[in-house]
Amino acid sequence: MAPVAARSAAAVGFGAAILISVALTTYFICDRRSMKKKKKKSRKNGLVEAIGNTPLIRINSLSAATGCQILGKCEFLNPGGSVKDRVALQIIQEALESGQLRPGGIVTEGSAGSTAISIATVAPAYGCKTHVVIPDDAAIEKSQILEALGATVERVRPVSITHKDHFVNIARRRASEANEFALKHRNSQLNGKEDTEKINGYESDGYNYSSLFPCDCQGGFFADQFENLANFRAHYKGTGPEIWEQTNGKLDAFVAAAGTGGTVAGVSTFLQEKNPNIKCFLVDPPGSGLFNKVTRGVMYTREEAEGRRLRNPFDTITEGIGINRITKNFAMAKLDGAFRGTDREAVEMARFLLKNDGLFLGSSSAMNCVGAVRVAQAIGPGHTIVTILCDSGMRHLSKFYNADYLSELGLTPKADGLEFLDIQ
């Protein structure tokens, strides 16, 4: 009987080995198929699909210094290099869907740089061109990037938003002029016959805009990033949900500066709808009235009251943030408070992060990180705080990272650590 039992045991063992082998083979085949599916999903269909879903990283130095988990959304990894890619995409898509913009049309915008660059990046994917009006005190590399992207660039003197020649107001006019030019060109193609159809709601006034627009121009559309709520929707539908998912809903606070207000409004609204206990804050640069609007209910900035306004309406070296009016986008924000940041804090923070984390960030990103530390100090250790890393330092070489420029303003960085934020 022993040999039979041994043979039986051997058979059972052999059968088990076969079953295990089959199971393992099936697992690896399925796993490989799953990996292939994942790889297929990870492939993006063109530039447009590469926008968004940016990484959320732990900023190690700030987390260690504050006892909080300080996380940064790496928006500088978008194809156009900034958070504004999301806004440009949403604005252009909505304009095309509504018929306000046609393929072959020109998207006009008044911008300190990043939104314009994003529009110039996204527009060609939809067969459109870009015309940008930019204040002449913006970093010169922004104009150079825009021109390299094929955009038409106008650099103009900074003036109040109420002035007809404020860069935003000029951009609005350029859209109307592009429509007029397109209608005139259409009429000329009809051999003198008048075409009574309007182009995007505009009739021709007979003026010749051939020096501004190409002959195949299909009209213009003013992006209007400050008042166009597509800006808010880009972050409400994209950035906010991504942050929620990447943190598994486990975050205590969000903080960011505002220019148009779209980012802070869209993200704060989404996060507080998911969890009303999440605190959302503004960090505001010098010369901006939003800090006092949030904390005191009155739009006010000391620089204006004391008549100390200097070379531009927002007396700060941080670009793209700070404003003295409530935009439609900012009006949507759900904020629990605000912090004031300074130019020196932004400059020192940028150098600190480069030295300690290898993060080469732009001025608004640095200000956001100042805000994150201020929030950590206010709510105490053990919390998770998220902010936006808007763009990299590559667009800020001639000013924010220019030693001579900073020296002229008395802003040469000199901190060894975070003592500029009262952290030893």
Side-chain angles (χ1 to χ4, degrees):
M1 294 296 294
V4 173
R7 284 198 300 272
S8 178
V12 170
F14 182 69
I18 291 175
L19 287 173
I20 292 171
S21 177
V22 169
L24 287 171
T25 302
T26 303
Y27 169 80
F28 284 119
I29 290 172
C30 291
D31 189 54
R32 288 185 65 185
R33 286 176 180 171
S34 176
M35 288 178 66
K36 285 181 179 179
K37 285 182 180 179
K38 286 180 181 177
K39 286 181 180 179
K40 189 174 181 181
K41 278 187 176 181
S42 68
R43 186 175 62 202
K44 307 296 183 182
N45 185 19
L47 175 139
V48 166
E49 286 194 5
I51 294 172
N53 293 307
T54 54
L56 185 69
I57 65 168
R58 182 180 188 267
I59 304 177
N60 293 329
S61 64
L62 301 185
S63 298
T66 62
C68 288
Q69 294 294 321
I70 294 183
L71 310 177
K73 190 91 164 96
C74 296
E75 292 300 295
F76 58 85
L77 294 177
N78 278 305
S82 84
V83 66
K84 296 297 187 178
D85 281 15
R86 298 175 184 268
V87 178
L89 177 60
Q90 191 74 26
I91 287 175
I92 290 173
Q93 285 182 334
E94 289 190 13
L96 287 166
E97 289 168 5
S98 68
Q100 293 176 284
L101 175 65
R102 305 177 180 188
I106 296 176
V107 183
T108 73
E109 183 59 297
S111 170
S114 288
T115 302
I117 290 170
S118 292
I119 290 173
T121 299
V122 174
Y126 291 96
C128 298
K129 297 181 175 64
T130 307
H131 185 104
V132 178
V133 187
I134 190 170
D136 62 12
D137 63 347
I140 189 63
E141 53 267 35
K142 293 185 178 181
S143 291
Q144 293 169 334
I145 293 169
L146 284 164
E147 289 169 350
L149 289 168
T152 301
V153 181
E154 286 185 68
R155 290 176 68 89
V156 300
R157 182 174 58 90
V159 293
S160 167
I161 186 66
T162 59
H163 195 287
K164 68 180 181 65
D165 289 330
H166 184 275
F167 63 94
V168 170
N169 295 330
I170 294 175
R172 182 183 287 107
R173 288 205 301 273
R174 293 293 180 252
S176 299
E177 292 163 358
N179 285 318
E180 293 164 359
F181 174 77
L183 181 59
K184 182 179 179 182
H185 183 69
R186 178 191 292 174
N187 287 339
S188 68
Q189 295 285 35
L190 293 172
N191 297 318
K193 294 180 181 179
E194 287 298 321
D195 183 358
T196 56
E197 182 182 351
K198 295 180 180 180
I199 296 286
N200 294 345
Y202 291 89
E203 294 178 332
S204 175
D205 65 356
Y207 188 83
N208 184 5
Y209 297 109
S210 59
S211 61
L212 287 174
F213 311 116
C215 62
D216 60 349
C217 169
Q218 296 298 308
F221 170 75
F222 176 46
D224 198 12
Q225 60 169 323
F226 288 88
E227 308 301 333
N228 189 338
L229 289 178
N231 184 346
F232 165 84
R233 287 187 286 273
H235 298 292
Y236 179 79
K237 294 164 59 176
T239 319
E242 288 174 26
I243 290 171
W244 178 260
E245 183 178 344
Q246 289 169 322
T247 58
N248 294 315
K250 296 176 181 177
L251 71 157
D252 301 289
F254 170 77
V255 61
T260 64
T263 304
V264 72
V267 173
S268 66
T269 300
F270 179 85
L271 291 179
Q272 292 201 349
E273 284 179 2
K274 299 296 288 187
N275 181 356
N277 293 321
I278 296 173
K279 302 298 182 183
C280 296
F281 299 95
L282 171 78
V283 58
D284 209 30
S288 174
L290 295 178
F291 170 82
N292 286 305
K293 180 63 177 177
V294 173
T295 57
R296 302 179 187 177
V298 178
M299 182 68 76
Y300 165 83
T301 175
R302 186 182 64 187
E303 287 80 359
E304 289 187 333
E306 297 179 357
R308 292 169 50 194
R309 177 182 288 182
L310 300 178
R311 65 195 181 283
N312 82 54
F314 315 124
D315 195 17
T316 176
I317 65 166
T318 58
E319 294 186 356
I321 55 174
I323 195 170
N324 286 319
R325 69 184 194 277
I326 298 297
T327 67
K328 288 182 180 178
N329 284 287
F330 186 82
M332 303 288 287
K334 309 295 183 186
L335 296 173
D336 297 283
F339 298 88
R340 174 71 83 190
T342 69
D343 282 347
R344 172 159 295 283
E345 288 168 349
V347 169
E348 296 284 11
M349 177 61 77
R351 275 62 180 183
F352 178 85
L353 292 172
L354 182 57
K355 177 182 177 181
N356 292 278
D357 299 88
L359 287 169
F360 182 42
L361 301 176
S363 56
S364 57
S365 301
M367 186 65 80
N368 283 350
C369 289
V370 168
V373 171
R374 290 302 188 200
V375 172
Q377 291 170 321
I379 66 177
H383 295 93
T384 298
I385 301 161
V386 176
T387 193
I388 303 293
L389 307 182
C390 313
D391 66 356
S392 78
M394 294 301 292
R395 297 176 184 175
H396 302 263
L397 298 177
S398 64
K399 295 179 67 177
F400 192 66
Y401 282 96
N402 184 313
D404 293 336
Y405 178 80
L406 294 179
S407 178
E408 290 175 7
L409 297 174
L411 292 172
T412 300
K414 51 190 176 185
D416 294 319
L418 289 170
E419 60 268 26
F420 60 95
L421 292 175
D422 304 316
I423 297 177
Q424 299 302 323

